[in-house]
Amino acid sequence: DLSLLRFISAELTRGYFLEHNEAKYTERRERVYTCMRIPKELEKLMFFGIFLCLDAFLYVFTLLPLRVFLAMFRFITLPCYGLRDRRLLQPAQVCDILKGVILVICYFMMHYVDYSMMYHLIRGQSVIKLYIIYNMLEVADRLFSSFGQDILDALYWTATEPKERKRAHIGVIPHFFMAVLYVFLHAILIMVQATTLNVAFNSHNKSLLTIMMSNNFVEIKGSVFKKFEKNNLFQMSNSDIKERFTNYVLLLIVCLRNMEQFSWNPDHLWVLFPDVCMVVASEIAVDIVKHAFITKFNDITADVYSEYRASLAFDLVSSRQKNAYTDYSDSVSRRMGFIPLPLAVLLIRVVTSSIKVQGVLAYVCVVLFYCGLISLKVLNSIVLLGKSCQYVKEAKMEEKLFNPVLTATPGKPAGKQQSMFKSTQGISTDENGSTSVTNQPVHQKENTPSLLVTSSSDQFLTTPDGEEKDISQDSSELKHRSSKKDLLEIDRFTICGNRID
């Protein structure tokens, strides 16, 4: 019989058994544990990646001038030893000289940019207008970073490619002027960013600084509820590493400019310290929340950050081999979108204008500071190399460094795979049949013409939607195998090419 009393009694006494849906609740519990592990794993990746960026950044100030000096010394003393080689300079030496010349030219060009006038011009704008300007600067910085390394790579390849080839470029000089213009414009862009941040620090009510930090939380809304694959998350992680390191350098520039205005009074540093901590803490909190919910909504485990760290370590270890095809600083630029030259030009400009060197003792201090930078660079490189070897060994990627073996892919004829290998230099297949561009290129004979490298990342970033849907319908084992392979195939970070559905 149905009655109100019986209904209330049933509501108060009815029970249920969670073990009847054990798989569902176990999965929900694992998601909670994954979110709890994300901060630790993410910060380990960030810590490693920031020191990689620091290593590439210190290289511009420490080893690059010495390498340029050695290359110029070889070029000057070459007639004394005779022309033993066909080339006057090695390709790496040519690239070093080009980097040094670009750095010097852009540094002198930056002297024509008035920082004080730019500061007062930005300070006179309204808060909302400055907020819009800062967002536009962030977008422009990403566009510059995505295209800048391609300009520099085009210059390096044009200056070092074998001359017996058919001319298929506009020449070294136009490429050189394009590179100088890019570095100069990118340095000005970063200077405007630093100036806007400086205005926010010096505002009385701190409203601009609060709005600029809230912009980081808007980033959560734009990324958390979108579909992410492991490749997209890897690219986002690299972008976050670059963004965090760039923010640290911008905060250093802001502190230098403020300390100069207050005659290097140490008491003013403690006035800036809470604002600096607030900016850094908000950046870390946003990254943790963003990655935690992205991994939760896309069923990605926290162990994926160990794979990302191993991929970054692989770049460092492979760049130390004799048959390496790129410098490590350029490898970081392609992977993370971090280009050290514009940031180095701006930092040198700010330091030289903020600190006056007068007297013998001051020059001695400069020499000692330079020696300290070299020591820091060498120590950082040694520690990073040791850690990278450890990460590569843990990921079982040593065979891709020392034994690049070409094997036949199951289900495909060997002749077709060999033709694909000939068309992409440096791409070999592992035992699972998946391709990888992280293997070092095999030495070829001089009479064998070099072939252009085609990166699988370009294919991934431009895959049509229909093909992505077909790929997602494969078996889970094949999907896991291909996603692990794609991590190593991304050879540069291009924000504009991100495909996130």
Side-chain angles (χ1 to χ4, degrees):
D1 296 333
L2 298 178
S3 64
L4 179 61
L5 183 63
R6 186 173 182 181
F7 176 79
I8 296 176
S9 175
E11 287 293 318
L12 295 176
T13 59
R14 66 184 176 89
Y16 49 86
F17 300 91
L18 298 181
E19 60 266 21
H20 291 170
N21 200 355
E22 180 180 357
K24 174 184 177 181
Y25 288 103
T26 303
E27 181 184 359
R28 297 293 175 87
R29 185 174 61 185
E30 291 299 325
R31 287 184 179 180
V32 175
Y33 293 163
T34 299
C35 290
M36 295 173 62
R37 288 181 57 196
I38 288 300
K40 178 183 177 182
E41 298 296 329
L42 176 64
E43 289 305 313
K44 288 167 65 176
L45 173 65
M46 289 286 177
F47 191 75
F48 182 70
I50 286 174
F51 275 94
L52 293 179
C53 293
L54 178 64
D55 188 70
F57 192 57
L58 289 177
Y59 170 81
V60 179
F61 302 100
T62 56
L63 299 185
L64 180 61
L66 299 178
R67 288 176 62 95
V68 173
F69 174 77
L70 292 177
M72 296 300 296
F73 182 77
R74 170 185 166 85
F75 181 77
I76 295 173
T77 60
L78 192 61
C80 300
Y81 300 98
L83 296 175
R84 298 179 182 178
D85 300 330
R86 294 186 305 169
R87 295 177 174 178
L88 297 177
L89 296 173
Q90 296 298 322
Q93 294 174 327
V94 175
C95 294
D96 292 334
I97 292 177
L98 290 175
K99 291 178 184 178
V101 174
I102 292 174
L103 196 67
V104 172
I105 293 177
C106 292
Y107 168 72
F108 284 107
M109 292 173 65
M110 288 295 292
H111 279 284
Y112 294 96
V113 181
D114 192 349
Y115 184 89
S116 300
M117 184 181 68
M118 183 183 299
Y119 176 83
H120 291 289
L121 180 63
I122 295 177
R123 189 183 180 91
Q125 306 299 322
S126 62
V127 175
I128 299 300
K129 187 181 294 185
L130 287 180
Y131 174 70
I132 297 175
I133 291 175
Y134 193 78
N135 288 337
M136 294 173 60
L137 291 175
E138 283 190 346
V139 175
D141 179 65
R142 296 187 179 187
L143 295 177
F144 269 89
S145 299
S146 64
F147 192 59
Q149 187 59 37
D150 292 338
I151 295 177
L152 296 176
D153 286 340
L155 171 64
Y156 302 151
W157 174 240
T158 305
T160 59
E161 66 176 335
K163 301 305 179 184
E164 60 268 12
R165 290 186 175 185
K166 183 180 178 181
R167 182 185 177 95
H169 53 82
I170 60 177
V172 178
I173 296 179
H175 278 287
F176 177 78
F177 283 115
M178 288 172 57
V180 170
L181 181 62
Y182 154 71
V183 174
F184 177 66
L185 293 179
H186 199 175
I188 293 179
L189 179 68
I190 301 175
M191 176 182 282
V192 177
Q193 279 185 300
T195 307
T196 309
L197 189 61
N198 195 7
V199 172
F201 268 66
N202 294 330
S203 59
H204 297 289
N205 53 4
K206 305 295 182 182
S207 59
L208 178 59
L209 185 61
T210 305
I211 293 176
M212 290 172 62
M213 286 194 307
S214 67
N215 188 39
N216 293 330
F217 293 92
V218 176
E219 184 181 353
I220 297 178
K221 178 183 177 181
S223 58
V224 163
F225 301 104
K226 291 184 179 180
K227 179 182 177 182
F228 274 81
E229 297 293 339
K230 291 175 65 176
N231 290 340
N232 300 117
L233 185 59
F234 185 38
Q235 292 176 334
M236 174 171 286
S237 302
N238 291 332
S239 174
D240 292 337
I241 293 172
K242 175 254 181 182
E243 182 180 358
R244 189 178 295 187
F245 181 80
T246 304
N247 287 338
Y248 291 161
V249 178
L250 292 180
L251 290 175
L252 175 62
I253 293 174
V254 170
C255 292
L256 287 175
R257 297 297 301 178
N258 278 275
M259 293 298 291
E260 180 199 3
Q261 296 299 322
F262 286 87
S263 302
W264 299 96
N265 185 8
D267 295 335
H268 185 67
L269 185 61
W270 296 108
V271 177
L272 296 173
F273 187 73
D275 295 334
V276 172
C277 292
M278 189 167 52
V279 172
V280 173
S282 66
E283 187 71 27
I284 295 175
V286 167
D287 289 340
I288 290 176
V289 172
K290 180 175 63 177
H291 284 264
F293 282 96
I294 286 176
T295 53
K296 177 184 182 299
F297 293 147
N298 294 276
D299 293 328
I300 301 176
T301 62
D303 297 330
V304 73
Y305 292 100
S306 299
E307 299 179 22
Y308 298 161
R309 192 173 55 197
S311 300
L312 296 177
F314 190 93
D315 293 337
L316 178 60
V317 177
S318 60
S319 65
R320 301 287 177 174
Q321 290 188 322
K322 293 182 178 180
N323 57 348
Y325 51 81
T326 184
D327 184 69
Y328 175 67
S329 61
D330 295 331
S331 178
V332 172
S333 301
R334 299 184 188 97
R335 179 75 76 173
M336 300 182 184
F338 171 68
I339 305 176
L341 287 181
L343 200 58
V345 169
L346 177 60
L347 186 60
I348 294 174
R349 170 72 174 84
V350 172
V351 170
T352 54
S353 62
S354 301
I355 301 176
K356 304 299 181 183
V357 180
Q358 296 177 353
V360 179
L361 182 60
Y363 284 101
V364 172
C365 293
V366 171
V367 174
L368 292 178
F369 180 74
Y370 179 71
C371 294
L373 282 181
I374 293 180
S375 302
L376 178 62
K377 168 68 173 67
V378 173
L379 179 62
N380 188 35
S381 299
I382 292 174
V383 174
L384 283 177
L385 185 59
K387 285 293 184 180
S388 298
C389 293
Q390 177 184 348
Y391 296 149
V392 170
K393 185 176 181 180
E394 291 175 355
K396 299 179 181 180
M397 300 166 64
E398 306 99 316
E399 68 277 359
K400 296 182 180 181
L401 284 170
F402 307 109
N403 298 317
V405 182
L406 181 64
T407 58
T409 304
K412 292 184 180 181
K416 182 178 179 180
Q417 185 168 358
Q418 291 178 359
S419 63
M420 181 182 67
F421 175 77
K422 292 180 181 179
S423 63
T424 57
Q425 181 183 357
I427 299 180
S428 60
T429 57
D430 55 13
E431 59 185 5
N432 294 328
S434 60
T435 60
S436 174
V437 301
T438 54
N439 292 326
Q440 297 296 319
V442 182
H443 285 292
Q444 298 180 354
K445 297 181 181 179
E446 293 184 357
N447 56 2
T448 304
S450 301
L451 300 173
L452 293 176
V453 181
T454 59
S455 172
S456 300
S457 63
D458 298 333
Q459 300 174 2
F460 169 76
L461 295 174
T462 56
T463 304
D465 295 336
E467 295 180 6
E468 288 183 357
K469 294 179 181 179
D470 295 337
I471 293 174
S472 62
Q473 295 175 358
D474 293 341
S475 62
S476 59
E477 181 181 1
L478 183 60
K479 182 179 179 180
H480 174 72
R481 193 178 299 172
S482 62
S483 61
K484 188 174 183 180
K485 171 259 299 182
D486 288 334
L487 293 180
L488 300 178
E489 290 187 351
I490 302 174
D491 63 347
R492 71 176 183 272
F493 177 72
T494 308
I495 298 182
C496 300
N498 255 350
R499 285 198 53 81
I500 304 174
D501 296 330

